[in-house]
Amino acid sequence: ELRETSAVDVGEALGWKAGLWRLRKGGIANDIVLRGLQSRDLNVLIDGQRVYGACPNHMDPAAFHVDFAEVDRVEVGKGPFDVKNQGGLGGTVNVVTRKPEPGWHATPTLAAGSFGLVNPSLTAGRGGQRLSALAGYSERRGDPFEDGDGRRFTELANYRPENQGDRAFSIGTAWGRVLWAPANGHQLDVAYTRQDSGAVLYPYLLMDALWDDTDRLNLRYEATGLGERKASVRAQGYLTQVDHWMTDERRTSSLAKPRAYSMGTRAETRTAGGKVEAVVGSLTFGAEGHERYWDATNEMAGSAYAPQAMIPGVTVRTAGVFAEYVRVLGHGFALSAGGRLDQARSEADGARANTALYEAYQGTSALEADDTLPAAKARVAWHRGAWDLAFGVGHAARAPEATERYLALRRMGTDWVGNPGLDPSRNTALDASATFTRGGFRLEAAVYRSRVADFITVYDQARRAAVPGVANA
């Protein structure tokens, strides 16, 4: 269904599913919205990897950094009920990529659509008993879409006349995967993806991407059928990074400026992490840890293009343990319960941080923060004949992002400033569902209630103190 949809990326395809929406910023790179929460309030994973965009304004969400031709399926868990992955206030979206099928296979695909959309791809591989491999390449490109009156979005936003016919996006993705089974019940999986993104237009935002390149490396090892209880162990390690450059050089805001652009931001982010998980009977337990580094430097004509550390080299380290238990109670009832506890530490680079802005607007110059992040869930399910009923309660927390705590940007008239004193956001939710299935007919109803404490959003903040170098009010 995903590969045959008219959507151009995972975010757009999921936007047609119940309970999910898309936030559209241009011809591609749609952000996923799940139960009213998006971006930083969701876990969007690729094969369990944490992939983060580099743009401070979420120009490039995580789901943008995977190609349709890689995708096998998308798993969606709604609400704060995922104790195996830290931080999903609104839920978890895990994009699962394809594995080699038995024997030799090659799949060429060509998709074309309105507004100059062209998407050729080729996937080839071989699946063997001990050694399997898969590789592929895909290219996606398209022109600005038009409204009902035939006007391109470049004509409706502030694009320069000579750039209104520019291509909306052009992206190439190459990937490879090798699986090795050294013995029965054991498997090593190594995968690497490189995505080269050329210019992408974002009329929803103030700038466009000139490039947005991504590397994803993932290593996984799994052993099953261990001991008398047939236990299994899974271990994963990964490294992802994004290099991003964006400017307004195609916009009218760049006219009559000393450089081709009036503002530009160079951003990069790197994430390294891993997880170890064991399943023994009805109990699953393990540990997870990851470290994200995020840096962004902004230049503006109004400041004579002096570099500003918009995100001052912030590192966030998170580590925790989790456990989940599932038990069949009889008479059609089943119980699942679990919890996790994480500790997160955030640190900004003191040599780059603009502490004057924090002092002026927030009354603090703290560059470090420690957060304790608990999570828990309990769910009861009942099955009888054609009916399935379920009721659950869940709680999850996430640490504030680098942009929320440490963003600092002097601007004409209004500064953009984070709050180093922010508390973590915490979501507590109740969830109930009923499903009736008979033959080819299925009817499902679900209700939920969420309350997010310390929800983080953007607001107008008056300057609280006179600090040298901070002139705006």
Side-chain angles (χ1 to χ4, degrees), residues 375-397:
K377 71 157 188 181
R379 184 184 292 272
V380 177
W382 178 77
H383 172 75
R384 179 66 60 85
W387 286 96
D388 288 277
L389 305 177
F391 176 80
V393 57
H395 177 85

Side-chain angles (χ1 to χ4, degrees), residues 325-336 379-382:
Y325 182 74
V326 180
R327 182 174 180 176
V328 177
L329 302 176
H331 303 287
F333 285 94
L335 170 69
S336 63
R379 184 184 292 272
V380 177
W382 178 77

Side-chain angles (χ1 to χ4, degrees), residues 428-448:
T428 303
L430 300 175
D431 188 297
S433 64
T435 305
F436 178 83
T437 307
R438 177 165 291 173
F441 177 78
R442 177 181 176 89
L443 179 66
E444 182 174 351
V447 294
Y448 69 92

Side-chain angles (χ1 to χ4, degrees), residues 173-329:
T173 308
W175 65 92
R177 188 171 197 168
V178 176
L179 290 85
W180 177 49
N184 292 336
H186 294 258
Q187 187 178 76
L188 176 65
D189 183 351
V190 181
Y192 171 74
T193 296
R194 169 70 180 185
Q195 183 185 77
D196 286 332
S197 174
V200 179
L201 306 184
Y202 293 95
Y204 179 88
L205 302 171
L206 298 176
M207 293 188 283
D208 305 298
L210 272 67
W211 73 72
D212 197 350
D213 299 336
T214 309
D215 295 280
R216 304 194 329 259
L217 175 64
N218 197 15
L219 292 85
R220 292 187 292 183
Y221 185 82
E222 182 173 4
T224 58
L226 303 176
E228 296 181 357
R229 303 193 65 179
K230 303 299 181 183
S232 63
V233 176
R234 293 184 287 269
Q236 178 184 27
Y238 59 85
L239 175 66
T240 65
Q241 61 181 22
V242 178
D243 181 18
H244 185 33
W245 169 237
M246 65 205 97
T247 74
D248 68 338
E249 62 185 57
R250 290 174 167 80
R251 310 294 186 98
T252 54
S253 55
S254 65
L255 292 170
K257 295 297 187 292
R259 297 184 183 178
Y261 56 89
S262 73
M263 53 184 169
T265 300
R266 179 71 180 270
E268 61 175 345
T269 184
R270 298 187 300 273
T271 305
K275 180 190 292 186
V276 178
E277 179 179 303
V279 180
V280 182
S282 299
L283 179 64
T284 301
F285 59 95
E288 179 189 16
H290 53 90
E291 176 184 290
R292 181 190 182 187
Y293 174 80
W294 197 1
D295 183 84
T297 301
N298 178 269
E299 302 172 346
M300 291 184 289
S303 305
Y305 297 102
Q308 291 194 67
M310 188 174 185
I311 303 177
V314 178
T315 301
V316 180
R317 300 180 181 91
T318 308
V321 293
F322 61 88
E324 183 177 31
Y325 182 74
V326 180
R327 182 174 180 176
V328 177
L329 302 176

Side-chain angles (χ1 to χ4, degrees), residues 127-151:
Q129 185 175 1
R130 294 294 185 191
L131 187 65
S132 303
L134 182 72
Y137 179 79
S138 173
E139 184 175 340
R140 291 175 288 172
R141 59 182 183 270
D143 298 327
F145 56 77
E146 300 173 1
D147 70 0
D149 293 324
R151 296 173 298 179

Side-chain angles (χ1 to χ4, degrees), residues 378-464:
R379 184 184 292 272
V380 177
W382 178 77
H383 172 75
R384 179 66 60 85
W387 286 96
D388 288 277
L389 305 177
F391 176 80
V393 57
H395 177 85
R398 72 161 180 91
E401 279 197 334
T403 50
E404 296 167 328
R405 271 186 170 147
Y406 302 115
L407 187 139
L409 190 65
R410 281 197 178 98
R411 292 172 51 86
M412 296 291 290
T414 304
D415 299 313
W416 292 356
V417 189
N419 183 356
L422 285 174
D423 291 327
S425 296
R426 306 175 189 274
N427 184 21
T428 303
L430 300 175
D431 188 297
S433 64
T435 305
F436 178 83
T437 307
R438 177 165 291 173
F441 177 78
R442 177 181 176 89
L443 179 66
E444 182 174 351
V447 294
Y448 69 92
R449 169 76 173 180
S450 288
R451 183 184 186 277
V452 181
D454 293 308
F455 181 78
I456 300 171
T457 187
V458 178
Y459 72 107
D460 290 326
Q461 168 68 58
R463 192 180 67 196
R464 294 178 175 177

Side-chain angles (χ1 to χ4, degrees), residues 69-135:
E70 292 182 84
V71 178
D72 178 66
R73 66 185 187 278
V74 180
E75 302 168 341
V76 179
K78 300 177 181 178
F81 298 99
D82 180 12
V83 297
K84 296 180 182 179
N85 298 286
Q86 193 278 324
L89 294 191
T92 298
V93 177
N94 184 35
V95 180
V96 181
T97 60
R98 299 167 66 180
K99 290 185 177 181
E101 299 177 15
W104 290 94
H105 293 272
T107 307
T109 303
L110 174 62
S114 302
F115 316 121
L117 174 65
V118 179
N119 179 199
S121 67
L122 174 64
T123 303
R126 177 189 179 276
Q129 185 175 1
R130 294 294 185 191
L131 187 65
S132 303
L134 182 72

